[in-house]
PDB file of all heavy atoms in Angstrom:
ATOM      1  N   ALA A   4     159.226 -12.388  50.929  1.00 93.00           N
ATOM      2  CA  ALA A   4     158.903 -13.579  50.141  1.00 93.00           C
ATOM      3  C   ALA A   4     160.160 -14.440  50.042  1.00 93.00           C
ATOM      4  O   ALA A   4     161.265 -13.911  49.919  1.00 93.00           O
ATOM      5  CB  ALA A   4     158.445 -13.153  48.752  1.00 93.00           C
ATOM      6  N   VAL A  25     187.593 -11.777  65.958  1.00 97.00           N
ATOM      7  CA  VAL A  25     187.868 -12.446  67.226  1.00 97.00           C
ATOM      8  C   VAL A  25     188.566 -11.486  68.165  1.00 97.00           C
ATOM      9  O   VAL A  25     189.511 -10.794  67.781  1.00 97.00           O
ATOM     10  CB  VAL A  25     188.818 -13.668  67.095  1.00 97.00           C
ATOM     11  CG1 VAL A  25     188.044 -14.930  67.013  1.00 97.00           C
ATOM     12  CG2 VAL A  25     189.781 -13.511  65.970  1.00 97.00           C
ATOM     13  N   CYS A  35     196.713   0.451  74.888  1.00 98.00           N
ATOM     14  CA  CYS A  35     196.881   1.065  76.205  1.00 98.00           C
ATOM     15  C   CYS A  35     197.021  -0.051  77.239  1.00 98.00           C
ATOM     16  O   CYS A  35     196.908  -1.221  76.902  1.00 98.00           O
ATOM     17  CB  CYS A  35     195.695   1.976  76.548  1.00 98.00           C
ATOM     18  SG  CYS A  35     194.132   1.094  76.697  1.00 98.00           S
ATOM     19  N   TYR A  93     184.886   7.269  61.045  1.00 93.00           N
ATOM     20  CA  TYR A  93     183.429   7.372  61.047  1.00 93.00           C
ATOM     21  C   TYR A  93     182.995   7.783  62.427  1.00 93.00           C
ATOM     22  O   TYR A  93     183.746   7.660  63.393  1.00 93.00           O
ATOM     23  CB  TYR A  93     182.760   6.072  60.586  1.00 93.00           C
ATOM     24  CG  TYR A  93     182.889   4.867  61.492  1.00 93.00           C
ATOM     25  CD1 TYR A  93     181.847   4.517  62.351  1.00 93.00           C
ATOM     26  CD2 TYR A  93     184.020   4.055  61.461  1.00 93.00           C
ATOM     27  CE1 TYR A  93     181.939   3.383  63.154  1.00 93.00           C
ATOM     28  CE2 TYR A  93     184.118   2.927  62.267  1.00 93.00           C
ATOM     29  CZ  TYR A  93     183.079   2.603  63.114  1.00 93.00           C
ATOM     30  OH  TYR A  93     183.163   1.490  63.905  1.00 93.00           O
ATOM     31  N   ALA A 112     198.645 -10.294  57.490  1.00 98.00           N
ATOM     32  CA  ALA A 112     198.694 -11.653  56.921  1.00 98.00           C
ATOM     33  C   ALA A 112     197.760 -11.735  55.720  1.00 98.00           C
ATOM     34  O   ALA A 112     196.633 -11.237  55.776  1.00 98.00           O
ATOM     35  CB  ALA A 112     198.276 -12.676  57.975  1.00 98.00           C
ATOM     36  N   ALA A 118     191.113 -25.715  55.462  1.00 94.00           N
ATOM     37  CA  ALA A 118     190.328 -26.866  54.994  1.00 94.00           C
ATOM     38  C   ALA A 118     189.275 -27.182  56.038  1.00 94.00           C
ATOM     39  O   ALA A 118     189.599 -27.349  57.207  1.00 94.00           O
ATOM     40  CB  ALA A 118     191.245 -28.065  54.777  1.00 94.00           C
ATOM     41  N   ALA A 134     194.129 -11.583  57.154  1.00 98.00           N
ATOM     42  CA  ALA A 134     193.817 -11.475  58.580  1.00 98.00           C
ATOM     43  C   ALA A 134     194.469 -10.171  59.013  1.00 98.00           C
ATOM     44  O   ALA A 134     195.655  -9.968  58.770  1.00 98.00           O
ATOM     45  CB  ALA A 134     194.388 -12.652  59.359  1.00 98.00           C
ATOM     46  N   ASP A 139     188.503  -3.165  69.061  1.00 96.00           N
ATOM     47  CA  ASP A 139     187.056  -3.245  69.222  1.00 96.00           C
ATOM     48  C   ASP A 139     186.511  -1.871  69.612  1.00 96.00           C
ATOM     49  O   ASP A 139     187.252  -0.989  70.051  1.00 96.00           O
ATOM     50  CB  ASP A 139     186.704  -4.291  70.299  1.00 96.00           C
ATOM     51  CG  ASP A 139     185.391  -5.013  69.983  1.00 96.00           C
ATOM     52  OD1 ASP A 139     184.603  -4.482  69.174  1.00 96.00           O
ATOM     53  OD2 ASP A 139     185.169  -6.096  70.552  1.00 96.00           O
ATOM     54  N   VAL A 173     189.382 -11.956  60.275  1.00 98.00           N
ATOM     55  CA  VAL A 173     189.800 -12.918  59.248  1.00 98.00           C
ATOM     56  C   VAL A 173     188.749 -12.877  58.145  1.00 98.00           C
ATOM     57  O   VAL A 173     187.557 -13.073  58.405  1.00 98.00           O
ATOM     58  CB  VAL A 173     189.907 -14.340  59.832  1.00 98.00           C
ATOM     59  CG1 VAL A 173     190.335 -15.326  58.748  1.00 98.00           C
ATOM     60  CG2 VAL A 173     190.893 -14.372  60.996  1.00 98.00           C
ATOM     61  N   SER A 206     192.313 -16.727  72.010  1.00 96.00           N
ATOM     62  CA  SER A 206     191.015 -16.088  72.244  1.00 96.00           C
ATOM     63  C   SER A 206     190.102 -17.064  72.964  1.00 96.00           C
ATOM     64  O   SER A 206     190.263 -18.278  72.851  1.00 96.00           O
ATOM     65  CB  SER A 206     190.381 -15.703  70.901  1.00 96.00           C
ATOM     66  OG  SER A 206     189.025 -15.343  71.074  1.00 96.00           O
ATOM     67  N   GLN A 212     179.348 -14.734  74.022  1.00 88.00           N
ATOM     68  CA  GLN A 212     179.793 -13.537  74.747  1.00 88.00           C
ATOM     69  C   GLN A 212     180.364 -12.496  73.796  1.00 88.00           C
ATOM     70  O   GLN A 212     180.868 -11.455  74.223  1.00 88.00           O
ATOM     71  CB  GLN A 212     180.872 -13.899  75.777  1.00 88.00           C
ATOM     72  CG  GLN A 212     180.329 -14.745  76.911  1.00 88.00           C
ATOM     73  CD  GLN A 212     181.373 -15.006  77.972  1.00 88.00           C
ATOM     74  OE1 GLN A 212     182.551 -14.703  77.802  1.00 88.00           O
ATOM     75  NE2 GLN A 212     180.937 -15.568  79.085  1.00 88.00           N
ATOM     76  N   GLU A 298     197.941   5.535  59.917  1.00 97.00           N
ATOM     77  CA  GLU A 298     197.932   6.027  61.298  1.00 97.00           C
ATOM     78  C   GLU A 298     199.279   6.686  61.614  1.00 97.00           C
ATOM     79  O   GLU A 298     200.318   6.006  61.615  1.00 97.00           O
ATOM     80  CB  GLU A 298     197.667   4.834  62.234  1.00 97.00           C
ATOM     81  CG  GLU A 298     197.931   5.066  63.705  1.00 97.00           C
ATOM     82  CD  GLU A 298     197.071   6.172  64.298  1.00 97.00           C
ATOM     83  OE1 GLU A 298     195.851   6.025  64.327  1.00 97.00           O
ATOM     84  OE2 GLU A 298     197.660   7.178  64.752  1.00 97.00           O
ATOM     85  N   GLU A 339     183.790 -42.963  63.921  1.00 86.00           N
ATOM     86  CA  GLU A 339     183.991 -42.663  65.343  1.00 86.00           C
ATOM     87  C   GLU A 339     184.663 -41.303  65.511  1.00 86.00           C
ATOM     88  O   GLU A 339     184.296 -40.506  66.370  1.00 86.00           O
ATOM     89  CB  GLU A 339     184.857 -43.744  65.994  1.00 86.00           C
ATOM     90  CG  GLU A 339     184.130 -45.054  66.196  1.00 86.00           C
ATOM     91  CD  GLU A 339     185.069 -46.184  66.592  1.00 86.00           C
ATOM     92  OE1 GLU A 339     186.233 -46.199  66.104  1.00 86.00           O
ATOM     93  OE2 GLU A 339     184.653 -47.039  67.362  1.00 86.00           O
ATOM     94  N   LEU A 400     192.145 -41.838  90.183  1.00 92.00           N
ATOM     95  CA  LEU A 400     191.651 -42.345  91.471  1.00 92.00           C
ATOM     96  C   LEU A 400     190.917 -43.670  91.283  1.00 92.00           C
ATOM     97  O   LEU A 400     191.010 -44.567  92.124  1.00 92.00           O
ATOM     98  CB  LEU A 400     190.737 -41.309  92.145  1.00 92.00           C
ATOM     99  CG  LEU A 400     191.464 -40.070  92.697  1.00 92.00           C
ATOM    100  CD1 LEU A 400     190.468 -38.982  93.106  1.00 92.00           C
ATOM    101  CD2 LEU A 400     192.348 -40.440  93.890  1.00 92.00           C
ATOM    102  N   ASN A 409     180.939 -45.629  90.275  1.00 86.00           N
ATOM    103  CA  ASN A 409     179.803 -44.935  90.847  1.00 86.00           C
ATOM    104  C   ASN A 409     180.249 -43.733  91.691  1.00 86.00           C
ATOM    105  O   ASN A 409     179.729 -42.625  91.563  1.00 86.00           O
ATOM    106  CB  ASN A 409     179.025 -45.952  91.687  1.00 86.00           C
ATOM    107  CG  ASN A 409     177.731 -45.367  92.219  1.00 86.00           C
ATOM    108  OD1 ASN A 409     177.274 -44.342  91.716  1.00 86.00           O
ATOM    109  ND2 ASN A 409     177.169 -46.007  93.225  1.00 86.00           N
ATOM    110  N   GLY A 423     184.967 -27.874  94.266  1.00 94.00           N
ATOM    111  CA  GLY A 423     186.421 -27.881  94.457  1.00 94.00           C
ATOM    112  C   GLY A 423     187.095 -28.925  93.599  1.00 94.00           C
ATOM    113  O   GLY A 423     186.515 -29.428  92.636  1.00 94.00           O
ATOM    114  N   LYS A 465     178.931 -73.497  95.923  1.00 87.00           N
ATOM    115  CA  LYS A 465     178.399 -72.588  94.897  1.00 87.00           C
ATOM    116  C   LYS A 465     179.026 -71.207  95.060  1.00 87.00           C
ATOM    117  O   LYS A 465     178.426 -70.286  95.620  1.00 87.00           O
ATOM    118  CB  LYS A 465     176.879 -72.479  95.026  1.00 87.00           C
ATOM    119  CG  LYS A 465     176.148 -73.658  94.449  1.00 87.00           C
ATOM    120  CD  LYS A 465     174.744 -73.242  94.084  1.00 87.00           C
ATOM    121  CE  LYS A 465     174.143 -74.217  93.090  1.00 87.00           C
ATOM    122  NZ  LYS A 465     172.744 -73.925  92.809  1.00 87.00           N
ATOM    123  N   ILE A 472     176.054 -61.753  98.214  1.00 91.00           N
ATOM    124  CA  ILE A 472     176.567 -61.147  99.453  1.00 91.00           C
ATOM    125  C   ILE A 472     177.361 -59.882  99.127  1.00 91.00           C
ATOM    126  O   ILE A 472     177.204 -58.849  99.783  1.00 91.00           O
ATOM    127  CB  ILE A 472     177.456 -62.157 100.238  1.00 91.00           C
ATOM    128  CG1 ILE A 472     176.658 -63.430 100.541  1.00 91.00           C
ATOM    129  CG2 ILE A 472     177.997 -61.528 101.514  1.00 91.00           C
ATOM    130  CD1 ILE A 472     175.471 -63.224 101.467  1.00 91.00           C
ATOM    131  N   VAL A 473     178.196 -59.982  98.075  1.00 90.00           N
ATOM    132  CA  VAL A 473     178.958 -58.782  97.671  1.00 90.00           C
ATOM    133  C   VAL A 473     177.982 -57.645  97.367  1.00 90.00           C
ATOM    134  O   VAL A 473     178.156 -56.510  97.809  1.00 90.00           O
ATOM    135  CB  VAL A 473     179.857 -59.078  96.440  1.00 90.00           C
ATOM    136  CG1 VAL A 473     180.552 -57.807  95.965  1.00 90.00           C
ATOM    137  CG2 VAL A 473     180.883 -60.155  96.779  1.00 90.00           C
ATOM    138  N   ALA A 495     186.572 -66.117 102.387  1.00 87.00           N
ATOM    139  CA  ALA A 495     187.392 -66.476 103.545  1.00 87.00           C
ATOM    140  C   ALA A 495     186.512 -66.768 104.761  1.00 87.00           C
ATOM    141  O   ALA A 495     186.706 -67.772 105.452  1.00 87.00           O
ATOM    142  CB  ALA A 495     188.376 -65.349 103.851  1.00 87.00           C
TER     143      ALA A 495
END
Side-chain angles (χ1 to χ4, degrees):
V25 263
C35 64
Y93 68 99
D139 214 341
V173 180
S206 168
Q212 292 184 351
E298 166 61 64
E339 287 169 325
L400 288 169
N409 186 17
K465 282 204 161 174
I472 303 295
V473 175

